[in-house]
Each structure stands twice: as structure tokens, then as C-alpha cells.
């Protein structure tokens, strides 16, 4: 009788441990999915990272749980072919580095003096070449004469040369005009005459799943630089053109502190009670 009781207790104990193990395994897998999502690696067209979710998960995990995460998340970590460890592919490291930087870059741009911000953006556009020249059109068409003069002074101070000299040395021939090409001329007129429509289009392109690097960077740039200028008009135009509030669209495509920062900048420009 005693042996039967011991066997019963042993079986019950094994079942409890198995149930607990299964539960822990499911918890780890659920947390793994949440962590992968917070990194945004499982979703195309997502900006930033969900820092809060990461902290809530990672600070609780022991080494064995981190090992399980690496083993079960093949879209982030791959088995090394020669040695027993899981490695993160280089392109993913670059991707994660870029997404972690989005919030920092947005905050830095927001706190910079507008002259310096414009000068640094112009320099970046000139270094990148033709695909980024639209940014130069944007600067030229939406800044006042005093703001453009300030950007030129900041450029001289930062890079020890005038922006005109830099344009002459980096841009060849007719490209210096941006105006004899049909698309550049169209963008220039569009930006000059209906800036709210122009920026709405730029923002929508930035938030598409297939947006390229230059297009994606416009999300931060436009919201930060226009927040104290004409963000109310841009947000209203975006709503009219795309039938979705700009703040809602940002909520849909961004994560974490980056999302909260951009949404706050847009909301502060809108009348109370509106989205």
C-alpha cells in the first residue's frame, strides 16, 4: 500500500514538473515572439524599437532563457556552421543599430539649433548624391531668407567652406540647377506653392513598407523641422489626402520612444481634442 502511494506521489510530482516545464516553455516562446516584435525584425515597414517591452522581458531572463531565445528565433540568430553558438547576421546588426538610433537622432535634431540642423542635412544630401537632392530643394523652398543665411553661416563654421563651394565641387554640370530636370522642377514648384501637400506626400512615402533609406529618414526630418512651423496644416492635409490621421499612421508603423516622440510633436501642433 505504501509503495502504491509512493508511486502515486512520484507520478503526480513528475506530471507537475512536466506541466511546469511546458508552461515555462510556452512562456519563453511567447516572450520570444514579443521580444522579436519589439526589435521590429519580424515586421517590414516598422520604425524604431519597443524599449519598454524589451526591458520587461530581458531583465527577467536567465542565461538559459536567452539561449532558448537565440535557438528559437532563426530570423535573428543562425547556427554557426563550425562552432556551437548562435550568431547574428551582419545585415541584421546594421538593421538593429539603425532602428535603435532613430529615437536618438530625432531627439538630437530637435535640440539642435535650426541653422546647424539645416547645414548638417545639406551636407549629408550632398555626400549622398542625386538620390538625396530632393532634400536640398526642400531646404531652399521652405526656409526664409534669414534661415537660409543662418544655414550658410553654420555650414561655413562646421565645414570650413561655403555651401556654394561644396555644391560646385560635388555636383556636376546641369545638376547644379536641379531645375532643368522635369521631376526636380515639379518638386520645386510643388514644395513652393503647396508645402502642406508636398510634405504630406513625403511623409506617406516615408511610411510605406518598401521605402528606401532616404525616404524613411524623411519621417524624422519632416516632423522635427515642421513641428513649430506648419505641422497643423500638414497633419490636416495628410488626413484629407490619405483618409487616416497622421498620428494614427505613425502609431501603426513605429514603436517605443521613437513613436511616442513623433506622435507628441504632431499632437502639440493640433487643436485640443483632435487626433
Amino acid at each position: 500500500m505504501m509503495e502504491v502511494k509512493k508511486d502515486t506521489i512520484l507520478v503526480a510530482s513528475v506530471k507537475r514538473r512536466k506541466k511546469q516545464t511546458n508552461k515555462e516553455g510556452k512562456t519563453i516562446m511567447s516572450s520570444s515572439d514579443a521580444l522579436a516584435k519589439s526589435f521590429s525584425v519580424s515586421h517590414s515597414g516598422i520604425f524604431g524599437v519597443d524599449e519598454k517591452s524589451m526591458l520587461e522581458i530581458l531583465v527577467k531572463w536567465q542565461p538559459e532563457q536567452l539561449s532558448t531565445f537565440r535557438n528559437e528565433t532563426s530570423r535573428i540568430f543562425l547556427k554557426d556552421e563550425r562552432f556551437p553558438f548562435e550568431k547574428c547576421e551582419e545585415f541584421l546588426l546594421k538593421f538593429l543599430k539603425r532602428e535603435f538610433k532613430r529615437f536618438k537622432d530625432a531627439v538630437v535634431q530637435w535640440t539642435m539649433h535650426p541653422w546647424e540642423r539645416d547645414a548638417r542635412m545639406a551636407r549629408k544630401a550632398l555626400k549622398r548624391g542625386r538620390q538625396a537632392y530632393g532634400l536640398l530643394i526642400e531646404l531652399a523652398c521652405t526656409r526664409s531668407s534669414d534661415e537660409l543665411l543662418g544655414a550658410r553661416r553654420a555650414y561655413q563654421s562646421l565645414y570650413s567652406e561655403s555651401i556654394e563651394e561644396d555644391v560646385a565641387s560635388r555636383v556636376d554640370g546641369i545638376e547644379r540647377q536641379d531645375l532643368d530636370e522635369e521631376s526636380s522642377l515639379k518638386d520645386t514648384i510643388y514644395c513652393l506653392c503647396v508645402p502642406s501637400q508636398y510634405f504630406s506626400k513625403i511623409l506617406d512615402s516615408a511610411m510605406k513598407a518598401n521605402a528606401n533609406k532616404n525616404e524613411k529618414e524623411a519621417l524624422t526630418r519632416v516632423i522635427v523641422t515642421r513641428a513649430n512651423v506648419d505641422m497643423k496644416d500638414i497633419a490636416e492635409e495628410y488626413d484629407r489626402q490619405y483618409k487616416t490621421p497622421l498620428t494614427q499612421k505613425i502609431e501603426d508603423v513605429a514603436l517605443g520612444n521613437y513613436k511616442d516622440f513623433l506622435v507628441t510633436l504632431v499632437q502639440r501642433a493640433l487643436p485640443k481634442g483632435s487626433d
Side-chain angles (χ1 to χ4, degrees):
M1 189 70 177
M2 182 64 72
E3 291 298 323
V4 174
K5 187 174 182 180
K6 286 182 178 179
D7 288 344
T8 303
I9 293 173
L10 180 60
V11 170
S13 177
V14 170
K15 285 183 176 180
R16 281 197 302 271
R17 287 199 298 270
K18 186 175 182 180
K19 184 177 181 181
Q20 183 177 0
T21 300
N22 289 339
K23 183 178 180 181
E24 288 175 350
K26 290 180 180 178
T27 300
I28 292 173
M29 288 307 300
S30 176
S31 296
S32 294
D33 290 341
L35 185 59
K37 183 178 179 181
S38 69
F39 275 118
S40 77
V41 295
S42 58
H43 299 269
S44 61
I46 296 292
F47 296 80
V49 293
D50 188 348
E51 297 92 345
K52 183 179 179 181
S53 293
M54 283 185 211
L55 290 176
E56 289 177 348
I57 295 169
L58 289 175
V59 296
K60 298 175 183 177
W61 276 5
Q62 300 299 320
E64 60 270 18
Q65 292 169 307
L66 288 168
S67 178
T68 299
F69 173 68
R70 290 193 298 270
N71 277 288
E72 298 296 337
T73 317
S74 59
R75 57 187 177 274
I76 303 177
F77 297 95
L78 298 176
K79 295 284 187 182
D80 186 76
E81 295 177 356
R82 294 183 297 167
F83 303 108
F85 76 103
E86 307 81 30
K87 61 183 179 182
C88 189
E89 289 197 283
E90 288 298 321
F91 83 92
L92 279 174
L93 288 174
K94 292 179 180 179
F95 170 83
L96 292 174
K97 181 179 179 181
R98 183 174 67 247
E99 296 311 313
F100 271 110
K101 279 186 60 186
R102 287 198 189 279
F103 175 60
K104 183 206 76 172
D105 289 344
V107 171
V108 170
Q109 287 188 35
W110 178 250
T111 54
M112 270 185 186
H113 193 290
W115 294 1
E116 179 183 4
R117 186 170 60 211
D118 284 352
R120 290 189 182 278
M121 287 194 297
R123 179 76 165 193
K124 180 185 288 188
L126 286 170
K127 289 176 69 175
R128 287 188 176 175
R130 179 186 292 267
Q131 70 272 20
Y133 289 168
L135 193 153
L136 298 177
I137 292 175
E138 180 181 311
L139 293 176
C141 294
T142 62
R143 273 43 168 186
S144 68
S145 56
D146 287 343
E147 289 169 337
L148 288 173
L149 178 59
R152 290 173 62 191
R153 288 171 173 170
Y155 201 98
Q156 178 75 42
S157 176
L158 289 167
Y159 306 113
S160 299
E161 59 185 347
S162 71
I163 189 170
E164 292 87 354
E165 291 172 345
D166 208 3
V167 169
S169 65
R170 292 175 185 271
V171 183
D172 295 325
I174 200 64
E175 286 184 22
R176 296 178 191 175
Q177 306 300 316
D178 285 338
L179 295 180
D180 286 305
E181 297 180 9
E182 184 178 348
S183 60
S184 296
L185 178 59
K186 181 179 178 181
D187 285 344
T188 302
I189 295 173
Y190 197 25
C191 191
L192 276 170
C193 299
V194 280
S196 61
Q197 291 183 25
Y198 174 84
F199 284 120
S200 295
K201 181 181 177 183
I202 293 294
L203 287 172
D204 187 64
S205 296
M207 292 185 281
K208 291 184 183 300
N210 61 348
N212 62 39
K213 182 178 180 180
N214 288 317
E215 290 170 334
K216 285 183 176 181
E217 286 184 357
L219 180 58
T220 299
R221 183 183 75 247
V222 171
I223 291 178
V224 167
T225 61
R226 311 311 296 176
N228 290 327
V229 184
D230 54 358
M231 181 50 64
K232 177 178 177 293
D233 295 336
I234 294 169
E236 290 175 349
E237 183 61 34
Y238 188 92
D239 191 357
R240 188 187 70 79
Q241 284 194 59
Y242 303 104
K243 311 305 179 187
T244 302
L246 178 56
T247 51
Q248 181 59 57
K249 183 62 177 181
I250 296 170
E251 293 271 3
D252 292 341
V253 302
L255 297 171
N257 292 328
Y258 180 70
K259 173 195 70 178
D260 294 340
F261 187 65
L262 296 188
V263 168
T264 299
L265 290 184
V266 175
Q267 287 178 332
R268 71 199 292 268
L270 301 177
K272 290 184 178 180
S274 64
D275 291 328

